[in-house]
Amino acid sequence: MLDLSFNRFSGKIPASLIAKLSSLLYFSLGSNNFSGLFALSLFAHLSDIKGFDLSNNNLEVETEYPKWNSTFQLKVLGLSNCKLNKHTGTIPSFLYGQHDLTQVDLSHNNLSGQFPIWLLGNNTRLKLLNLKNNSLGTFHLPVHGNNTDLIFLDVSHNCIMGQLPLNIGTLLPNLVLLNMSRNLFQGSIPPSVGDMRSLETLDLSHNNLSEEIPKSLVVGCVYLDTLKLSNNNLHGKILSTFSNLTYLTYLYLDSNHFTGTIPASLFNVSLQGGLRVLDIGDNQISGRIPTQVGDLPFLSTLILRRNHVDGMVPLEFCRLTELRFLDLSDNSLFGPIPSCFNLTNLEFMHLEKNAFSGSIPSALSKASYLTSLVIGYNDIVGVIPSWIGGLSKLRILLLRRNSLHGHIPIALCQLKNVSLLDLSYNHLSGQLPPCINNLTFGRSTLDSAFYIEETTYSMGLGLDISKQEHVVSNLGSNFGEVTDEITAVEFMNKNIWNSYGSGILKYMSGVDLSCNQFTGEIPPEMGQLSGLHSLNLSCNQFTGPIPVAFETLSQLESLDLSYNRLNGTIPSELMKLTFLSVFSVAQNNLSGKIPYVKQFATFDESSYDGNPLLCGSPLNKSCTIEDPKGEEDDDDDDDSLVSFYAAFVGSYSVFLLGTIAFLYFTSQRRAVCFLHVIDSWCGFLLYKICMLFNCK
């Protein structure tokens, strides 16, 4: 036996080493940093080998070329995350000749084709089969199945379509863990699932299953610890008989079409202490939160978001001392947020889009682990409390659309880890504190900030050399998976509402102080928030210039300063913001030429509306300025023109009088000519006078 797993070995696996180990029974190099191409034909001569594990390295394992014939019969095979047959995606053909397998892990390899029903048919003593995260198709079971030993089956994250086999519980009666999540299964959950008397974990989430939960599941699976039916099309009422599952600890029924009220029996304390996780969010549940919720001493996650739950939050919540994640958002709850909470373990509190009133409860000052506080879209009044600065782990603070007033407290600058801050649509006033530059806003990341308790599954491969029997270790549930959907929050960036899950939240940062009554100049210290992606200060009463210091906001994608009283020019230094894609300074008192180059050439005139003294593209207003010297020259030309016409009128007046005197003594015929001359010269004279004075 040679087991070098879970170390930091790197480089290629030496072929000469394997060639000399002729007596090898079990060989494991799993969970290291080995790399390169590895041909499984190197094991062909090891006729006595019973198991090998190359999982979780940087290897590219090839099983088909060169051609080879196996001389062994394996019990244990671990090839998870091995880029297995990378160019063809085929299931290893040598497995067709294996009949003694008890543990097989081919997960995370992007294998294609149909579910290998023959693998179950040929290996009736198989106990553990993991095909997670591949591209397998239709799922079938052997018609005359004898796989009564199978206890672990994971075919999640594939492309399996069709219905679940009606007799799945009959053919696989001793399953302890069944994970078929994230596929394309349709139809109903077969009642035969209730025949799996030893089932502890059932995950059918993220499929297209419909109809109601079969009552046989609750009656038969009495040892069920984890039940995940999230993201399906299930309907009907939540079964009150869930209380019969005395070992049930993790229950996920979210994102379905369940109706009715929350059964009070869900909160019965079982032999194991009751539920730790209850997620029934995104359904059509109505009614009030049962007071029995306080009877669950170990409840750590409660999610009721996006339902029709109403009434006040029961005071029994105050007994939930282990609560870490609370999401009651988007319901019809009202009244004050209970101030009696024992919140020493709370990390996430999402209560937005309800009708909560009163002030921000002082009990939150004791929530030293609080990471995300989201209570926007309520009727919260009062001021932002100064004790909020003591929440040193706070990353998300969203108080949008409430009735908060007063100044931003200086203590807010102590939130050195905050990345999203939304105080918009309140009645806040005063000047922004210059110490706002103490906030990091994306300049640091906390990788563990958005981890919450959720069930994940693991298994270990091994072999008892003395008995040449399989060893299954670490079978069951553990914690620590990133719950991207559960921790998601909404924040407006680039004028669009976006939902940011935990994966993006580690990198997204933004400030929204819009639609308040802030005054004074924008602190130039805000230019030190170099990690900021979005900044919205619109609809306030800010005065003074746009800070030139904004040129250092190198990550900024959206900047909205519209509807204020800003003056001065648009700093040309803002052209250094190469990621800027949304920009608005509309409805201010800005002047001068718009820097219409680089990314600023992509902004249309709506970004600058309401600034009468701005000019240049994209506005239809030229920035040409009249030269004072040119105006004086024009005046001199006008004076010369007047002198010219005065001399012209004088000269022709003399000529006209002379003509009259000459004709006075001539014949009558010449008198008629005289009248014609008078008419012509008067017309010509009037024309010249009109040219001089611009008359019509």
Side-chain angles (χ1 to χ4, degrees), residues 28-48:
S28 177
L29 299 178
S31 300
N32 280 284
N33 295 315
F34 288 111
S35 59
L37 180 64
F38 183 85
L40 216 62
S41 58
L42 292 174
F43 289 126
H45 69 288
L46 301 177
S47 58
D48 294 329

Side-chain angles (χ1 to χ4, degrees), residues 259-314:
T259 58
T261 58
I262 304 171
S265 58
L266 270 182
F267 304 104
N268 287 347
V269 179
S270 69
L271 297 175
Q272 302 300 312
L275 291 170
R276 292 177 183 267
V277 174
L278 175 61
D279 186 352
I280 54 177
D282 292 279
N283 281 286
Q284 299 169 26
I285 304 297
S286 57
R288 303 201 169 192
I289 301 174
T291 57
Q292 289 85 349
V293 67
D295 295 335
L296 298 176
F298 300 110
L299 188 66
S300 62
T301 299
L302 177 60
I303 301 175
L304 305 178
R305 67 181 175 198
R306 287 193 283 271
N307 278 288
H308 306 297
V309 180
D310 56 18
M312 298 177 66
V313 176

Side-chain angles (χ1 to χ4, degrees), residues 133-281:
N133 195 18
N134 284 291
S135 299
L136 302 177
T138 307
F139 178 82
H140 291 294
L141 292 173
V143 177
H144 303 290
N146 294 311
N147 299 100
T148 56
D149 289 341
L150 194 65
I151 61 174
F152 184 111
L153 177 60
D154 191 340
V155 294
S156 61
H157 291 258
N158 276 279
C159 304
I160 302 175
M161 298 183 290
Q163 296 187 344
L164 294 172
L166 294 177
N167 56 351
I168 187 172
T170 305
L171 297 176
L172 305 174
N174 295 315
L175 279 179
V176 174
L177 188 149
L178 175 59
N179 187 358
M180 309 182 83
S181 63
R182 297 184 184 274
N183 281 288
L184 300 171
F185 286 114
Q186 298 176 339
S188 60
I189 301 172
S192 68
V193 170
D195 295 332
M196 300 176 183
R197 302 291 178 176
S198 301
L199 195 63
E200 296 179 9
T201 298
L202 176 61
D203 191 347
L204 300 175
S205 61
H206 295 271
N207 282 288
N208 294 317
L209 298 172
S210 57
E211 300 187 25
E212 299 183 1
I213 301 173
K215 294 182 180 179
S216 60
L217 187 154
V218 177
V219 174
C221 303
V222 293
Y223 295 105
L224 204 60
D225 171 80
T226 300
L227 178 60
K228 298 190 69 173
L229 301 176
S230 309
N231 290 89
N232 280 285
N233 294 310
L234 298 169
H235 55 80
K237 295 184 178 181
I238 296 176
L239 297 176
S240 60
T241 49
F242 275 127
S243 59
N244 296 335
L245 302 175
T246 56
Y247 294 93
L248 190 61
T249 306
Y250 307 96
L251 179 59
Y252 299 86
L253 303 176
D254 56 293
S255 302
N256 281 285
H257 303 291
F258 291 116
T259 58
T261 58
I262 304 171
S265 58
L266 270 182
F267 304 104
N268 287 347
V269 179
S270 69
L271 297 175
Q272 302 300 312
L275 291 170
R276 292 177 183 267
V277 174
L278 175 61
D279 186 352
I280 54 177

